[in-house]
Amino acid sequence: MFDRIMGKYLLDSGRLTKAQLSMVYQVQESKRAKLGVIAVTEMLMTVAQAEEINALQATMDKRFGDLAIERGYLSEIQVGYLLSLQGNEFQTFTSALVEKKMMTLEEVDSILKKYQLEKGLNDNQMAALKSGDIDLIVPIFTGTDDPEYNALFKYGIKNVYRLVDTHLVIDNVYTVHNIKEECIAYQCFDGEVKATIALVGKNGDLQKLAKSYTKEEFIETEEDALDAMCELINCINGLYATDRSRKGKKIELDPPYFITKFGEISGEDIRVMPIYSCDAEAWLVVSVNSNTTVK
């Protein structure tokens, strides 16, 4: 994820052009593949087994390798071997920058220090960003120690990353009392934790996300796109509810809904995370234990 965050940073700062960044990503993609793809090409798993694990990730908050080990498809040694072949996203990104002579290693180091200073990050946070571990990355952008907010944003970003687009960029969460946009897909839940989760954006942008999520090209209406986004939100909240039930907390999910032709979310404590994915911009909205209305 940090490779895409840094890519956007380099683009926004004028350090790279869109054409240059696209070239770097092409080189990076040629050297990095999904773990399931590598497992199949290395003949350690069948296509059916890899697809089974991919499907399980929509309902279980576990990594591909961990699920493959649990199912008996791979050993820990084999997963380690596959990870070594896959490489770290940020490392392959910086290697591509240098290989295409877009930047020297010294310039990469200078840019990273500048980014760290501008964002006010400490060395541990920078190490977390470079690790690619979403559980470590997301709290850097939420700016809170609240376990419920962090958990919901983590599940949200993990699902978008796994099911929609691994080329995902997120930005710092900000707090508002209301957010109004063309389309809103949302779900509320009650119980020992009460919350509203939403994906908000323009129709065209949510259609792009929906096409990537459903792997279908025939997402042409607002209703089709928002129905897909509601399904995605239900996955996010389902994982959260399952996790909390293991900890003895009862959560009851309401059916997901969507609003077209401009809707509004209002409340005391609405937190918004910008998401850039599939050449689209959207907002992941989370409100916990707050008097929130959607209309």
Side-chain angles (χ1 to χ4, degrees):
M1 184 182 295
F2 191 43
D3 58 330
R4 300 289 158 159
I5 293 172
M6 279 305 302
K8 185 175 185 301
Y9 178 75
L10 293 170
L11 186 64
D12 291 345
S13 63
R15 185 62 183 77
L16 292 181
T17 66
K18 284 186 177 181
Q20 288 174 320
L21 186 58
S22 177
M23 186 183 300
V24 170
Y25 284 148
Q26 287 175 16
V27 173
Q28 182 191 14
E29 287 301 303
S30 70
K31 297 182 177 181
R32 182 179 172 84
K34 290 185 177 181
L35 208 63
V37 173
I38 302 174
V40 171
T41 58
E42 291 291 308
M43 294 185 290
L44 294 177
M45 292 177 68
T46 66
V47 172
Q49 289 171 339
E51 290 179 346
E52 176 191 342
I53 299 300
N54 286 331
L56 283 172
Q57 285 190 298
T59 59
M60 302 176 71
D61 180 36
K62 293 185 178 180
R63 298 178 182 181
F64 184 98
D66 293 334
L67 286 170
I69 291 171
E70 286 182 9
R71 288 294 188 275
Y73 297 151
L74 296 173
S75 68
E76 290 187 13
I77 293 175
Q78 288 172 324
V79 169
Y81 168 67
L82 294 173
L83 288 171
S84 71
L85 293 179
Q86 185 184 47
N88 175 278
E89 287 179 343
F90 183 66
Q91 290 175 352
T92 56
F93 174 67
T94 54
S95 294
L97 280 171
V98 175
E99 179 180 324
K100 299 307 293 184
K101 301 188 186 315
M102 303 296 180
M103 299 175 69
T104 65
L105 282 174
E106 291 76 14
E107 288 172 329
V108 170
D109 184 61
S110 177
I111 286 289
L112 286 173
K113 288 177 179 176
K114 182 180 178 183
Y115 176 86
Q116 181 176 359
L117 183 63
E118 287 182 8
K119 300 298 182 180
L121 304 174
N122 59 41
D123 290 342
N124 288 336
Q125 289 172 318
M126 286 298 291
L129 286 170
K130 294 175 185 178
S131 75
D133 189 332
I134 292 178
D135 282 324
L136 299 177
I137 291 173
V138 170
I140 296 172
F141 292 87
T142 62
T144 180
D145 293 326
D146 187 294
E148 308 308 334
Y149 273 108
N150 277 325
L152 284 163
F153 276 118
K154 283 180 186 178
Y155 283 123
I157 296 307
K158 281 182 182 179
N159 273 270
V160 176
Y161 182 87
R162 291 170 178 169
L163 305 177
V164 181
D165 182 19
T166 57
H167 302 156
L168 175 66
V169 176
I170 61 177
D171 210 338
N172 290 335
V173 169
Y174 58 90
T175 303
V176 296
H177 293 300
N178 64 77
I179 180 169
K180 186 176 182 180
E181 192 43 82
E182 185 176 358
C183 297
I184 296 175
Y186 71 99
Q187 185 175 39
C188 303
F189 58 78
D190 291 299
E192 294 186 48
V193 180
K194 176 182 176 182
T196 299
I197 316 299
L199 279 166
V200 177
K202 300 190 183 306
N203 173 43
D205 286 333
L206 292 187
Q207 283 196 29
K208 291 177 182 177
L209 297 180
K211 286 179 181 179
S212 182
Y213 174 61
T214 61
K215 308 299 185 287
E216 303 217 1
E217 289 298 320
F218 303 104
I219 303 286
E220 298 181 352
T221 68
E222 292 178 336
E223 288 76 12
D224 289 340
L226 287 167
D227 188 56
M229 293 298 94
C230 283
E231 183 181 331
L232 178 59
I233 291 171
N234 196 51
C235 288
I236 294 169
N237 291 334
L239 286 171
Y240 171 84
T242 299
D243 175 68
R244 288 305 183 260
S245 69
R246 294 194 187 102
K247 298 175 181 177
K249 292 186 177 181
K250 185 177 180 181
I251 304 291
E252 295 182 2
L253 301 179
D254 293 342
Y257 296 97
F258 61 76
I259 297 174
T260 63
K261 309 304 180 187
F262 283 94
E264 183 176 10
I265 304 174
S266 303
E268 300 167 356
D269 188 21
I270 298 170
R271 306 192 191 187
V272 182
M273 175 179 281
I275 295 175
Y276 306 91
S277 171
C278 303
D279 198 27
E281 181 178 8
W283 294 268
L284 176 61
V285 179
V286 178
S287 180
V288 179
N289 295 328
S290 172
N291 293 322
T292 304
T293 60
V294 186
K295 59 182 181 179

